[in-house]
Amino acid sequence: MQTNRKSEHFMFKVALLSLSLMLTTSGAIAATVSLMQESFVDQSATAVEALVTASNFTVMIFVLLSSFFVRAIGTRKTVLLGLILSFLAGIFPVFSSSYSLIYFSRLVLGAGFGLFNSLAVSLIGEYYEGEEKARLIGLQSAVQSAGQTAVTFLIGILMFSGWQIAFAANFVGIIPLVLYFIWGPRDDEPKLTDIVASEEEIGTKTKQSINLPVILQAIALLISFAFLMVFFLKSSIFVAEENFANPSFIGIVMSIYTFVSIIANLFYSKLVKHTKHFSLPISYLFLGLGFIFLSQTTNFVTFTVIVIFLGFGGSLLLPYSWGLIMSKAPKGSINLAISIAMVGTNLGSFLAPYFGSLPAIMFGNQRAAFAFIFAGTVMLIFAVIYLLIGKRLTLD
């Protein structure tokens, strides 16, 4: 792979990793769902939950459109445009209580994220390889979790002053904007490897393609994220239904999930050396059992302990999936493969309110606890599937 001295610079890596800081924070407002339902009394529960996941729809679209923006205005301007849009849209609900305008701002938020979403991951695969690539993929997931933890924690604190003020936590989005503006790669630097195309494509114009392993993994991520989001969408409702003391504490407890993910992701490259092709079965086993145990909790102490359990399980899922996709993607098609997979994760997240309502539709049980059991069962099914085919899913 073409080397570049700037890629070895510490702040260059920080700038690239900072792109992931806000990518998964759109779901952090899930802690405010019960409060928003009290304000938007003319909207259904599913419609209010849709405010949490609306951004995932436009993320999905703009992930696919990002390459066109890159060709039209360049990589640097595309990333900066995405960062600006997501920052402004993220803080907009602080200043408006209109359901329609907030829903629109959530769509704009997703568009901003989508412009640089795939680049935040695929760029690592283009600039680095081997042990350093595995380390940075783990760090990328850790930064993603750190951003989600910070924003979720801030929302948990701010929501005591109302759900609108809670959106002020998105002011954290100024951090990646500043870091990338100062230290991010510039399009006029000839020694940088092209971000959109791999080295093999430079000069040969090889057309990117997709294969069956990538498509199947994208579908698996779609279903997985649809049910994983049930934790974020239903937790505040579950706490209210079970009459937990201090229900507003849920925002802080939910931040523990991502905090645990940070710790686990920091040791990802070392951990995966031991878990190898069992990484995904272990991840789904922890998630499945975690959801089922969660449905039986009656207080915040056991709820928090099981959230730690869930956080560890979730920490393996995404980085191993990214590594697997980059490993199995056709030569020179890493960015396209990551984009397709991100369509899966974001479509799954967008559809989460509807997947979460399946237990009520199929079995007539509308309680959040039953939704947890249903999601846990799906995760355990995935654990069995990946255990059976695991040897085909080793990272090259």
Side-chain angles (χ1 to χ4, degrees), residues 343-387:
V343 168
T345 60
N346 285 284
L347 182 57
S349 297
F350 173 72
L351 295 174
Y354 310 101
F355 273 72
S357 65
L358 283 179
I361 296 172
M362 296 172 64
F363 302 100
N365 191 327
Q366 299 184 18
R367 296 187 66 81
F370 190 71
F372 287 159
I373 294 173
F374 192 87
T377 302
V378 173
M379 294 299 182
L380 290 178
I381 292 172
F382 269 110
V384 173
I385 292 173
Y386 277 109
L387 183 63

Side-chain angles (χ1 to χ4, degrees), residues 30 70 102 106-107 126 131 163 177 188 231 265 274 305 311 380:
V70 168
I102 291 175
R106 301 293 290 173
L107 294 176
E126 298 294 345
E131 183 75 19
W163 64 265
L177 179 58
D188 59 356
F231 165 69
N265 288 146
H274 299 287
V305 171
L380 290 178

Side-chain angles (χ1 to χ4, degrees), residues 79-383:
V79 172
L80 290 174
L81 176 61
L83 289 169
I84 292 170
L85 286 176
S86 57
F87 171 67
L88 294 177
I91 64 173
F92 177 80
V94 176
F95 311 103
S96 174
S97 58
S98 166
Y99 177 87
S100 298
L101 290 178
I102 291 175
Y103 192 90
F104 179 74
S105 74
R106 301 293 290 173
L107 294 176
V108 175
L109 176 74
F113 284 161
L115 286 175
F116 62 89
N117 200 322
S118 61
L119 293 174
V121 178
S122 64
L123 185 145
I124 293 174
E126 298 294 345
Y127 275 83
Y128 304 96
E129 57 187 350
E131 183 75 19
E132 182 69 357
K133 184 176 78 170
R135 187 178 73 86
L136 289 174
I137 288 175
L139 285 174
Q140 184 269 337
S141 293
V143 170
Q144 208 166 264
S145 298
Q148 188 173 356
T149 300
V151 173
T152 304
F153 181 80
L154 287 173
I155 287 175
I157 297 297
L158 294 172
M159 65 186 285
F160 286 101
S161 299
W163 64 265
Q164 279 188 266
I165 297 298
F167 279 85
N170 288 318
F171 274 99
V172 174
I174 198 69
I175 295 174
L177 179 58
V178 171
L179 287 174
Y180 191 86
F181 180 78
I182 298 175
W183 286 287
R186 299 177 183 275
D187 295 334
D188 59 356
E189 294 172 343
K191 292 184 180 180
L192 286 177
T193 303
D194 192 283
I195 294 177
V196 178
S198 67
E199 261 191 349
E200 290 80 359
E201 292 176 292
I202 297 175
T204 63
K205 305 296 183 183
T206 302
K207 185 177 181 180
Q208 294 197 60
S209 59
I210 209 70
N211 57 15
L212 184 60
V214 171
I215 293 173
L216 292 177
Q217 190 60 25
I219 294 172
L221 285 172
L222 186 158
I223 299 172
S224 300
F225 269 72
F227 285 103
L228 184 59
M229 279 296 294
V230 169
F231 165 69
F232 296 98
L233 294 176
K234 298 295 185 181
S235 287
S236 63
I237 299 171
F238 173 78
V239 166
E241 288 178 349
E242 301 301 321
N243 297 314
F244 279 29
N246 302 316
S248 294
F249 191 61
I250 185 63
I252 298 174
V253 175
M254 288 173 68
S255 69
I256 293 174
Y257 173 94
T258 46
F259 178 75
V260 172
S261 295
I262 294 172
I263 303 302
N265 288 146
L266 289 174
F267 297 97
Y268 168 76
S269 61
K270 291 183 174 61
L271 182 62
V272 80
K273 283 183 178 179
H274 299 287
T275 57
K276 297 180 180 178
H277 60 274
F278 292 109
S279 297
L280 287 180
I282 290 172
S283 173
Y284 283 111
L285 178 64
F286 271 72
L287 289 171
L289 293 178
F291 269 117
I292 292 172
F293 292 156
L294 200 66
S295 70
Q296 305 303 309
T297 58
T298 56
N299 58 69
F300 267 123
V301 175
T302 53
F303 190 92
T304 302
V305 171
I306 296 170
V307 165
I308 294 173
F309 198 75
L310 282 169
F312 176 77
S315 68
L316 282 174
L317 177 59
L318 201 53
Y320 195 89
S321 294
W322 290 149
L324 183 63
I325 288 167
M326 286 192 283
S327 175
K328 303 302 181 182
K331 191 174 182 180
S333 300
I334 290 177
N335 191 64
L336 177 60
I338 291 295
S339 295
I340 295 297
M342 284 184 172
V343 168
T345 60
N346 285 284
L347 182 57
S349 297
F350 173 72
L351 295 174
Y354 310 101
F355 273 72
S357 65
L358 283 179
I361 296 172
M362 296 172 64
F363 302 100
N365 191 327
Q366 299 184 18
R367 296 187 66 81
F370 190 71
F372 287 159
I373 294 173
F374 192 87
T377 302
V378 173
M379 294 299 182
L380 290 178
I381 292 172
F382 269 110

